[in-house]
Every structure is written in C-alpha cells, then in structure tokens.
C-alpha cells in the first residue's frame, strides 16, 4: 500500500524548522493574547515556503491561461463548425491545444500540487491531542509534540475544530464556545477569500468560451467555497489558518502577476459600414466591476471664415455680384 509518511515528515520538518527559527529570534512560546505565536507563525511561513517553491508553476499557469484566451476565437470557430458533433469537436479541440502547446488543465495544477501539503498538515494536526502526548511524531521530540498540542489561537487549540465535542475540548483545557467562535470566524474568512481568489482571476481574464473551461471556472468560483461551508467544520483551526494564509498569498501573487502579464485585449467590434465603433470597457476590481463608457467625440468646430488681408480694399458685395438684371416692363 502506498504510504504518505514522506509527506508527513516533510511538513513536520518545515514546521519545526520555522518554529526553531522563531524561537531563536525571541518569539515566545508562551501565550500572548491567548495565542502561541511561534506555532501560528510556523504555520503561516509553511505557506510562504510552499508558495515560493511553486511560484514557477504559478507563472506557467498564467501563461497557459493567456494561451487559452488567445485560442478562444479558434475554439469558437470549431464549435460552430462541429455543432452537434461533440466527439469530433473534442478531437479537434485537443488537436488545437496540442498544436498550440496549450494545456487546459494547467489552470488547476498549482491547486492540485498543494493538496498533499494540505493533507499532510491536516493529518499532523489531528495527531495533536492529549492521548498522543508523550509520543514522537514524524521526527518531533516529545517536548515539541507537547508544546504544539497545547498551542492556541485566542485560547482555542490549533487542533480544535468547529465540530469538536465538549469532551475533546475539555481534554485540551479549552472552552467549547470559544473554539466554535474562533473556528467559525476563520471558516467564514476561508470561504470569502477562496471565493475572492477565483473571482479576481475571472474578472481579469474573463469567462472562457469553451464550455468545459467555463464549467471549471464556475466550479472554482461557486462549488469550492460552498463545499467549505460544510467541510470547514472538520478542519482543525491550524489547517484553516494555513488555508486563509494561502488565499491571501494567492490574492497578492495574482495581482502582481496579472500586472506583469496583463490579460489579452479583445479586438474592437466593427460596424456593418466597416468603421470601428467604440465599445464600453469593463474593468474588474477585487470587489466589483464597473463599465466605463468611451469618451464622446467633441462636435466638429464650424469652419473659420478668412478675414480680409491687411491693406486690402473692402469688397462691395453688390459690385462683385455684377449689375442687377433689368426688370421687364
């Protein structure tokens, strides 16, 4: 059977390395405002470590999304050409992606690569309970294990969950109501930041024309945040801290990368007369979007009438027009 111990050892090593670093620079392991900051910072910088390692993959994800966006006109042509023939359409689209070296799955790759880290941290924090105290854990010493087991965020143990029972929290010396409040607030922040990370990318790059890509976008935007509303109750507080920190890191990283690699500008629409017509431009922000109407052209100025040159004789309009015709008697 395939063992995941190597993931647990890797996650434990990163956590303990950061904990030793914070301890060495004087971050106290004792609770301040009901929080053991050395362990909280260790979880936060676990995120930083993983994201720095995955940064090249994230850049490839952005470039792949740009390539997919550039192929949208060709994808639309194939959809119209093979309308009603789904099998041929899929074959032609795969051939197009292969020829243009675009990978539709690259957009989800960074998230998939972080799943082992999430599972490793989830499994490790689940082991932090009084029943396992006095034991070693994936390279931890007994002292480190006992210290992490009693680590808290605002008096709520980092191994506690929204769905914890009163008996479980009593064993950790914690109040169940406090744990539910801290965990509940963190779950709400986790859902909101998960939604915003997907929305930020869609607002910048637009909805995909390909139905499969659009379905993936909708899943990322609505499906995952909704699933967290249910599954968040079983996540330890330490795991939720990891998730929220990861989302905040993603928001900042996406903002930077999207500025460095701006989305492709769609071509302007043309009228039937062949003249380019200005279209409203939709600009997306993090929390909303607004439509900017194109600036109206200023009305053409009336042609100026040239005045007489300096020194020229005034012109009599009656003379210049010739003699008037005689009236017939």
């Amino acid at each position: 059977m395939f063992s995941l111990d190597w993931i647990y050892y890797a996650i434990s090593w990163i956590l303990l390395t950061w904990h030793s670093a914070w301890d060495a620079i004087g971050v106290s392991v004792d609770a301040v405002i009901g929080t053991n900051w050395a362990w909280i910072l260790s979880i936060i910088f676990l995120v930083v470590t993983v994201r720095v390692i995955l940064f090249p993959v994230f850049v490839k994800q952005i470039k792949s999304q740009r390539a997919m966006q550039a192929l949208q006109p060709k994808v639309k042509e194939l959809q119209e050409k093979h309308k009603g023939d789904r099998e041929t359409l899929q074959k032609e689209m795969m051939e197009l992606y292969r020829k243009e070296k675009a990978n539709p799955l690259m957009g989800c790759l960074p998230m998939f690569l972080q799943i082992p880290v999430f599972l490793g941290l989830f499994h490790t924090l689940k082991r932090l309970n009084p029943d396992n105290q006095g034991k070693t854990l994936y390279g931890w010493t007994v002292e480190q294990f006992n210290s992490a087991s009693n680590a808290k965020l605002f008096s709520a143990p980092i191994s506690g969950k929204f769905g914890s029972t009163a008996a479980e929290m009593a064993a950790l010396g914690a109040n169940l109501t406090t744990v539910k409040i801290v965990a509940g607030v963190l779950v709400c922040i986790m859902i909101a930041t998960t939604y915003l990370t997907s929305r930020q990318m869609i607002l910048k790059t637009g909805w995909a024309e390909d139905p499969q890509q659009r379905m993936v976008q909708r899943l990322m935007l609505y499906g995952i945040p909704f699933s967290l509303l249910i599954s968040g109750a079983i996540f330890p507080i330490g795991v939720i801290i990891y998730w929220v920190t990861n989302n905040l890191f993603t928001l900042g990283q996406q903002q930077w990368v999207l500025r460095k690699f701006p989305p492709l500008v769609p071509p302007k629409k043309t009228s039937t007369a062949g003249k380019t017509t200005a279209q409203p431009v939709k600009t997306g922000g993090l929390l909303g979007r607004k439509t900017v109407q194109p600036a109206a052209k200023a009305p053409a100025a009336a042609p100026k009438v040239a005045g007489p040159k300096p020194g020229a004789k005034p012109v009599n309009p009656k003379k210049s027009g010739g003699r008037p015709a005689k009236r017939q008697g």
Side-chain angles (χ1 to χ4, degrees):
M1 185 176 178
F2 181 71
S3 174
L4 296 177
D5 283 356
W6 66 274
I7 296 177
Y8 308 146
Y9 274 100
I11 297 304
S12 296
W13 181 83
I14 296 174
L15 277 175
L16 295 177
T17 299
W18 277 113
H19 185 267
S20 298
W22 293 117
D23 194 25
I25 63 177
V27 177
S28 176
V29 295
D30 297 327
V32 178
I33 321 177
T35 303
N36 301 95
W37 292 106
W39 285 110
I40 301 302
L41 289 173
S42 298
I43 295 174
I44 291 174
F45 276 81
L46 168 65
V47 176
V48 175
T49 303
V50 173
R51 295 308 297 265
V52 169
I53 294 172
L54 294 180
F55 184 75
V57 179
F58 182 80
V59 173
K60 287 184 179 180
Q61 174 198 16
I62 297 296
K63 290 183 177 179
S64 177
Q65 288 175 337
R66 295 293 177 275
M68 293 296 296
Q69 188 180 9
L71 290 177
Q72 290 308 308
K74 293 184 180 180
V75 170
K76 199 167 184 178
E77 289 178 7
L78 289 176
Q79 290 173 343
E80 294 177 355
K81 181 179 178 181
H82 301 290
K83 192 174 183 179
D85 189 352
R86 190 174 183 82
E87 184 177 351
T88 304
L89 174 62
Q90 293 297 325
K91 185 177 179 180
E92 290 289 335
M93 287 177 61
M94 290 299 103
E95 178 63 22
L96 175 65
Y97 294 151
R98 185 195 64 79
K99 183 178 178 182
E100 299 294 337
K101 298 180 180 180
N103 187 353
L105 300 179
M106 181 60 74
C108 301
L109 185 59
M111 182 186 69
F112 289 146
L113 291 178
Q114 291 181 72
I115 290 177
V117 180
F118 171 81
L119 293 176
L121 183 63
F122 182 86
H123 176 81
T124 301
L125 293 181
K126 278 185 65 179
R127 296 285 301 276
L128 299 178
N129 61 70
D131 295 336
N132 291 326
Q133 288 194 20
K135 301 179 182 179
T136 57
L137 171 71
Y138 305 120
W140 298 43
T141 65
V142 173
E143 182 182 359
Q144 290 170 331
F145 185 86
N146 292 341
S147 174
S149 296
N150 293 292
K152 294 179 174 62
L153 173 68
F154 303 124
S155 301
I158 61 174
S159 59
K161 306 178 289 291
F162 185 85
S164 295
T165 64
E168 291 173 338
M169 292 302 95
L172 290 172
N175 181 275
L176 180 61
T177 303
T178 301
V179 172
K180 286 189 177 294
I181 292 174
V182 173
V185 170
L186 286 175
V187 167
C188 291
I189 297 174
M190 177 176 64
I191 293 172
T193 52
T194 300
Y195 172 78
L196 289 176
T197 53
S198 298
R199 189 167 187 262
Q200 180 190 49
M201 183 63 72
I202 292 174
L203 287 177
K204 293 292 184 181
T205 60
W207 288 95
E209 294 288 342
D210 180 17
Q212 288 186 338
Q213 289 294 309
R214 185 179 286 262
M215 182 178 65
V216 171
Q217 286 179 321
R218 290 189 181 280
L219 175 64
M220 297 289 290
L221 185 61
Y222 302 114
I224 294 180
F226 180 77
S227 67
L228 293 176
L229 186 63
I230 302 171
S231 59
I234 65 172
F235 290 166
I237 288 174
V239 171
I240 303 177
I241 293 172
Y242 170 87
W243 195 304
V244 170
T245 306
N246 188 63
N247 286 344
L248 295 175
F249 196 99
T250 300
L251 285 170
Q253 186 173 262
Q254 283 183 170
Q255 187 68 20
W256 180 83
V257 173
L258 288 169
R259 285 185 178 181
K260 191 173 181 62
F261 303 100
L264 299 175
V265 179
K268 295 180 179 180
K269 296 181 179 180
T270 55
S271 63
T272 54
K275 297 181 180 180
T276 303
T277 57
Q279 299 294 327
V281 179
K282 292 184 177 180
T283 59
L286 180 60
L287 298 176
R289 65 167 59 184
K290 59 181 180 179
T291 303
V292 179
Q293 296 294 337
K297 293 184 178 180
K304 296 182 179 180
V305 180
K309 295 181 179 181
K313 295 181 179 181
V315 180
N316 189 335
K318 292 183 179 180
K319 290 183 178 181
S320 61
R323 295 180 180 179
K326 293 181 179 181
R327 299 176 65 180
Q328 300 295 328

